Amino acid sequence: MSQMMQQLQLLKDFVALCQKDPDVLHEKELKFFKDWLESMGATVPPPNEPEEPKEPQPEEKAEKKPEPKPEPEPEPESEESDLELDNTGVIEDNDKDLPEDGDESKEVTEEMMDSADEKRSAAMAAFSEGNFDEAMKLFTEAIMINPHSALLYAKRASIFIKQKKPNKAIHDCSKAIQLNPDSAQPYKWRGRAQQLLGKWEEAYHDLTMACKLDFDDLANEWLHEVSPNAKKIMEHNRKYERKREEKEIKARKERMRKAKEEYERAKAESTSSGGGGFGGFPGGFPGGFPGGMGGMPGGMGGMPGGMGGMPGGMGGMPGGMGGMPGGMGGMPGGMGGMPGGMGGMPGGMGGMPGGMGGMPNLGNILNDPEIVQAFGDPEVAAAFQDISQNPQNMMKYQDNPKVQALINKMATKFGGKPPGGEGGPTV
């Protein structure tokens, strides 16, 4: 437990240093830690120089908040009412009964085919005389004899067209196309049936296919009749689909915007309510400086890189402290110095806890490739964040070789004793 208390004291001292001078985190040597903190969700305060990238953020939020107004857009519905079609010749067909089909599993002999042809000829004669009922009866008998003939179904469909029964005609034509998809007649009569029902787009496709397979003047005439309505509908559907896709894209962007705003709001709340340490990182410094760190190693003879020592003439540590024990090796280079006017450390401090010789060279610690690699491991980073939120959680990772390896490494760097081993401050 004594080692843990030392570790906690080290953590407090380091956090206190960063709270006094957050600009430490913007030094080159600490760039890795700064990047790591930000990747974990921490907000590092900007340097004291007149550089404040945070100010535009509230303006963006203020501009974005009034945006949810353009959501209601029922444009496609209004456009549907603008679609004017010429429904001349369209009829209603309420006859839902389907015509009789032949048995396709039946084997058809040549004699049966000849008999079906005779029935077809008789049906055509009755049709030419205007006797549609007799023609219908004969075509049905021919289909029963030879159910594999697509032509017989197409001919019977033409009778249904004459009788204004487009639903039955569509049934027969679909059956004929199933038997022979390369026959033009079923497409022609099915297209005409679709035209009678006002199904302009379907009629257009069927009549186009009929003319493509075998050009027919009557099929072409019907195609020209249905084309204006069919093209209006197709253009309308294209516009509707485009607007539907645009609406979906807008809705997706709006959801993303709201999610981003919610994230920024939650982030701001956690920053304002989070504990001390490094610009509001929840739980303080992530991971802390873990176990076994016996003290700050010696050798810090002065603050290098322009610090020139402790300004304010720290003539010595009052209360019996002749100076920082062990001679301070130095804070990372380039630091402008501790704020002036510090006459000395407050009295009575017997020295840094746990025999700490002074602050270590953090640049050397954080540039250590093994430490950099270790903090890049998500498992290790998560463990150190867990420990930072509750130092007692350190006990959970005693059997984790990755975490213990990093603890031992950093303890050695800080001049402490690795857990379970002897050692003292390195010189």
Side-chain angles (χ1 to χ4, degrees):
M1 288 301 290
S2 62
Q3 282 185 345
M4 184 179 292
M5 294 306 295
Q6 291 175 4
Q7 295 158 16
L8 291 175
Q9 187 60 46
L10 284 171
L11 176 59
K12 289 178 184 177
D13 292 337
F14 188 83
V15 170
L17 170 65
C18 294
Q19 285 177 326
K20 279 187 177 181
D21 187 10
D23 285 358
V24 169
L25 296 174
H26 294 280
E27 295 298 324
K28 284 183 182 178
E29 291 82 358
L30 291 174
K31 184 178 183 301
F32 165 73
F33 260 114
K34 176 175 168 287
D35 293 343
W36 178 65
L37 288 171
E38 289 175 339
S39 72
M40 298 291 288
T43 303
V44 177
N48 286 331
E49 300 170 15
E51 185 182 337
E52 298 181 1
K54 289 184 180 177
E55 286 187 11
Q57 291 178 351
E59 293 175 13
E60 286 179 16
K61 288 179 186 174
E63 289 175 14
K64 288 179 181 177
K65 279 184 182 176
E67 278 183 26
K69 293 177 184 175
E71 282 185 30
E73 287 183 22
E75 292 175 12
E77 295 175 19
S78 63
E79 193 172 310
E80 206 168 320
S81 62
D82 295 338
L83 190 61
E84 295 181 2
L85 302 175
D86 181 6
N87 290 318
T88 304
V90 175
I91 64 173
E92 278 190 33
D93 181 11
N94 298 319
D95 186 359
K96 303 300 180 184
D97 295 332
L98 297 178
E100 190 177 1
D101 292 340
D103 182 7
E104 290 183 42
S105 63
K106 181 194 291 188
E107 288 190 18
V108 180
T109 63
E110 287 188 13
E111 290 80 6
M112 294 168 70
M113 293 174 71
D114 291 341
S115 175
D117 286 344
E118 289 177 8
K119 295 281 185 184
R120 180 177 66 84
S121 299
M124 293 297 295
F127 177 78
S128 60
E129 293 171 3
N131 191 351
F132 299 143
D133 290 336
E134 181 64 21
M136 177 67 61
K137 178 187 169 191
L138 292 169
F139 273 127
T140 301
E141 290 175 359
I143 288 171
M144 294 301 109
I145 297 170
N146 183 10
H148 301 294
S149 172
L151 183 59
L152 289 175
Y153 280 104
K155 290 294 185 182
R156 189 171 72 171
S158 68
I159 304 294
F160 285 131
I161 294 294
K162 288 289 184 182
Q163 293 179 328
K164 304 295 183 185
K165 297 179 179 178
N167 285 327
K168 288 184 176 180
I170 289 172
H171 170 84
D172 271 8
C173 290
S174 297
K175 189 75 175 177
I177 291 169
Q178 181 183 338
L179 292 169
N180 183 6
D182 296 326
S183 175
Q185 287 295 308
Y187 288 105
K188 170 185 173 180
W189 295 111
R190 191 171 72 173
R192 177 59 174 171
Q194 305 279 25
Q195 180 183 6
L196 291 175
L197 292 172
K199 297 181 179 179
W200 307 108
E201 197 173 355
E202 294 88 340
Y204 176 84
H205 292 307
D206 278 342
L207 292 169
T208 299
M209 179 61 74
C211 292
K212 181 179 178 182
L213 291 171
D214 185 10
F215 185 82
D216 182 285
D217 288 333
L218 186 55
N220 189 52
E221 179 184 334
W222 291 337
L223 177 60
H224 280 83
E225 289 176 4
V226 304
S227 289
N229 284 345
K231 289 180 179 178
K232 282 182 184 179
I233 293 171
M234 287 188 282
E235 180 60 26
H236 166 78
N237 290 340
R238 279 193 292 269
K239 286 182 181 178
Y240 181 85
E241 185 62 24
R242 275 199 305 270
K243 291 200 172 184
R244 188 186 63 80
E245 289 175 0
E246 288 171 6
K247 192 173 180 181
E248 283 183 3
I249 291 170
K250 278 185 181 179
R252 197 179 308 126
K253 285 182 179 178
E254 181 65 14
R255 288 194 298 271
M256 290 173 65
R257 184 188 68 79
K258 287 181 178 178
K260 186 177 179 182
E261 280 186 1
E262 182 63 24
Y263 168 76
E264 293 293 343
R265 186 184 62 76
K267 186 176 176 184
E269 285 179 2
S270 67
T271 301
S272 61
S273 63
F278 288 43
F281 189 91
F285 185 79
F289 281 90
M293 298 190 290
M296 297 296 188
M300 298 179 67
M303 297 293 185
M307 286 187 70
M310 294 290 191
M314 290 177 65
M317 297 296 181
M321 294 178 60
M324 290 295 281
M328 296 175 66
M331 292 293 286
M335 294 176 60
M338 297 294 282
M342 292 174 61
M345 295 293 284
M349 291 179 60
M352 296 295 279
M356 298 190 296
M359 290 291 286
N361 189 324
L362 295 178
N364 292 339
I365 294 173
L366 302 180
N367 287 328
D368 188 302
E370 293 183 19
I371 294 178
V372 171
Q373 184 177 4
F375 273 110
D377 188 327
E379 181 185 352
V380 174
F384 273 65
Q385 186 178 14
D386 184 29
I387 293 169
S388 73
Q389 292 171 351
N390 183 1
Q392 297 298 329
N393 290 341
M394 190 180 296
M395 305 299 294
K396 294 196 301 188
Y397 302 98
Q398 285 185 339
D399 296 328
N400 188 315
K402 293 182 183 179
V403 176
Q404 286 302 313
L406 181 56
I407 288 174
N408 293 343
K409 179 73 176 178
M410 294 188 70
T412 303
K413 285 284 184 180
F414 274 85
K417 298 179 182 180
E422 293 295 327
T426 57
V427 179

